[in-house]
Amino acid sequence: MRLDALLGSVATTEARLAVTAGILLVTLAVGWLLLPRGVRAAERVVTHWLERFLDGRAESSIETLQEAVPVSFGLRLFVGLLQLVLFAIAAVAILALWGQFAVVVAVLPVAENALTIGAQALLSAVLLGAAYVGSDVLEEYVEDLSADSDRITAHQEQLLSRIMQVGVLVIAGITVLGIWGVNLGGLLVGAGFLGIVLGMAARQTLGSLIAGFVLMFARPFEIGDWVEIGDQEGLVTEITIMNTHMRNFDGEYVVVPNDLVTNQAITNRSREGRLRIHMEVGIGYDDDPEEASEIAKEVLDEIDTIANNPKPYVIPSGFGDSAILLDLRFWIDPPTPQARWRSKATAVEAIQRRFADADISIPYPQRTVSYPPETAETDETVERVERSANGKGRVDNRPA
């Protein structure tokens, strides 16, 4: 209305033509000369600020966005929108100048709706693009944090990155829905009921999901560890949010759900960096246990796969059915299945050879059977009966 009152005061046709020409000249000068240069200058300033702020992060996501919407196209689109707004203002001024302000009033609601929708679409696109770039920045930030700390595992890094990325995208999505006037209260209520239904239908899946978070924070094992989970033993190859992947010593690929992992005993043979091995060997009761222990200890000291610190030791541990038992204890460092098998096999071969050279026997199970005296008399009576039945004698049942 103020614009109409101001421009409506121009009464003569010549004055209106002059003002119209002035408005068009100013509009063309600003729209075609100043706006593109101003936008390019602003683009250079914003780009320089973003490069300093991101410090080389989020390059992949920025390249993806540039491939989807090239910078040149975005700048042209932005300049075009500004020029359209400028020309619309000029048209309103010219219509008000020539006494056609009623047309402006009639078209104003449509223009206002179009401007609102355009602003909402532009703001939504900016928010989603910023969320996409921000998720990439967070992932690289977590990677840098993990590289500087030994307490964050690869599994924790991956899971933390995904949680943060999903959180950023969810917040951006909720904000965009709010911009478009979507009733978030009803949407959240519906999502809550849907979550309850899905939770009842997929209890085991949710249990594995929660167990994955527990494993992330508890860290009972890491990728590459030699573990035993229940009756499964092997090397951990991957830890996901749902399952733990292992490769056993038969070359089989084993997948264990995380809820089963957390509900079973876990033996991690790699955690301490070394592993103690127990072996038993028996010697004859006629052999000297001290001499056999010294020979076995010398053999263990000579094996390369056995650690020297702590030292291996051999002690007599008990009396077996057929032998005196010697308990052999030694360490392997680092603990690997190959080192365990190789050290035990080498120890068995070398101890057997050294015991044979020293005339120390490794007895096999033996059993001695003896009969009480009445059993011998019974056997003699049975023998006489058998001889009589064969015609070789007769049975004398008279008392002696």
Side-chain angles (χ1 to χ4, degrees):
M1 299 303 293
R2 294 179 180 178
L3 182 64
D4 184 27
L6 176 63
L7 296 177
S9 61
V10 181
T12 63
T13 302
E14 292 79 3
R16 289 179 179 178
L17 289 174
V19 174
T20 302
I23 292 174
L24 290 176
L25 288 175
V26 171
T27 302
L28 291 175
V30 174
W32 293 103
L33 297 177
L34 297 180
L35 269 181
R37 294 181 179 179
V39 170
R40 290 192 186 94
E43 184 267 337
R44 288 193 293 269
V45 172
V46 171
T47 301
H48 180 68
W49 180 81
L50 284 176
E51 289 178 353
R52 292 182 57 187
F53 177 75
L54 295 177
D55 193 20
R57 299 186 179 94
E59 293 182 355
S60 60
S61 60
I62 292 176
E63 292 177 357
T64 303
L65 289 177
Q66 289 178 350
E67 292 176 0
V69 182
V71 176
S72 59
F73 174 77
L75 289 177
R76 289 197 302 268
L77 180 61
F78 184 64
V79 170
L81 291 175
L82 291 180
Q83 289 173 342
L84 181 61
V85 172
L86 183 62
F87 292 154
I89 295 174
V92 170
I94 293 172
L95 288 174
L97 177 64
W98 290 92
Q100 302 296 323
F101 194 73
V103 177
V104 177
V105 175
V107 177
L108 188 59
V110 178
E112 185 178 359
N113 290 334
L115 184 61
T116 302
I117 293 174
Q120 288 176 339
L122 179 61
L123 184 58
S124 299
V126 171
L127 282 175
L128 292 177
Y132 182 69
V133 175
S135 64
D136 198 2
V137 172
L138 287 175
E139 182 178 4
E140 296 186 11
Y141 175 76
V142 173
E143 290 179 358
D144 296 340
L145 184 64
S146 175
D148 297 336
S149 176
D150 297 333
R151 302 183 62 183
I152 300 178
T153 64
H155 175 54
Q156 290 177 327
E157 174 188 337
Q158 180 183 11
L159 190 57
L160 187 59
S161 299
R162 295 296 178 266
I163 292 174
M164 296 178 70
Q165 288 176 336
V166 171
V168 170
L169 294 177
V170 167
I171 293 174
I174 292 175
T175 305
V176 170
L177 292 177
I179 291 173
W180 290 93
V182 178
N183 185 7
L184 297 179
L187 185 64
L188 292 176
V189 171
F193 281 112
L194 181 61
I196 293 174
V197 173
L198 292 178
M200 296 295 293
R203 287 175 294 179
Q204 185 173 0
T205 303
L206 289 177
S208 297
L209 182 65
I210 296 173
F213 285 99
V214 173
L215 290 177
M216 183 189 74
F217 292 105
R219 296 175 58 186
F221 50 79
E222 300 176 5
I223 295 176
D225 283 355
W226 172 16
V227 300
E228 181 179 352
I229 303 173
D231 57 351
Q232 299 292 339
E233 183 179 3
L235 300 177
V236 178
T237 58
E238 186 180 2
I239 306 171
T240 66
I241 194 63
M242 300 297 297
N243 303 304
T244 296
H245 302 254
M246 300 171 55
R247 187 169 297 279
N248 63 18
F249 304 134
D250 293 330
E252 298 172 333
Y253 183 70
V254 182
V255 179
V256 184
N258 286 335
D259 58 334
L260 296 181
V261 174
T262 55
N263 290 330
Q264 298 186 87
I266 301 173
T267 303
N268 190 338
R269 296 191 171 92
S270 302
R271 173 58 63 87
E272 299 300 327
R274 60 184 181 179
L275 181 67
R276 188 169 69 176
I277 308 297
H278 292 263
M279 290 180 57
E280 277 191 347
V281 61
I283 63 174
Y285 276 98
D286 296 331
D287 298 319
D288 184 6
E290 184 176 356
E291 180 186 2
S293 298
E294 289 295 331
I295 293 175
K297 187 177 183 305
E298 292 176 1
V299 170
L300 296 180
D301 290 334
E302 296 171 357
I303 298 176
D304 296 335
T305 54
I306 295 178
N308 293 324
N309 187 21
K311 290 284 186 180
Y313 62 92
V314 181
I315 57 173
S317 59
F319 297 98
D321 293 337
S322 306
I324 297 176
L325 302 179
L326 303 181
D327 186 13
L328 286 64
R329 301 186 182 186
F330 54 88
W331 297 82
I332 55 174
D333 183 13
T336 62
Q338 295 80 5
R340 180 178 65 173
W341 300 331
R342 191 179 301 114
S343 60
K344 293 179 70 172
T346 305
V348 169
E349 294 174 359
I351 289 174
Q352 193 274 338
R353 184 173 58 253
R354 293 286 297 274
F355 277 9
D357 294 340
D359 292 330
I360 297 175
S361 62
I362 302 178
Y364 50 83
Q366 304 178 36
R367 191 178 299 275
T368 302
V369 181
S370 61
Y371 296 95
E374 59 271 14
T375 303
E377 295 179 359
T378 302
D379 291 343
E380 183 180 355
T381 303
V382 171
E383 181 180 358
R384 285 191 298 165
V385 170
E386 289 178 351
R387 290 174 59 192
S388 175
N390 293 331
K392 297 179 182 180
R394 62 188 182 87
V395 180
D396 186 3
N397 292 326
R398 293 178 298 173

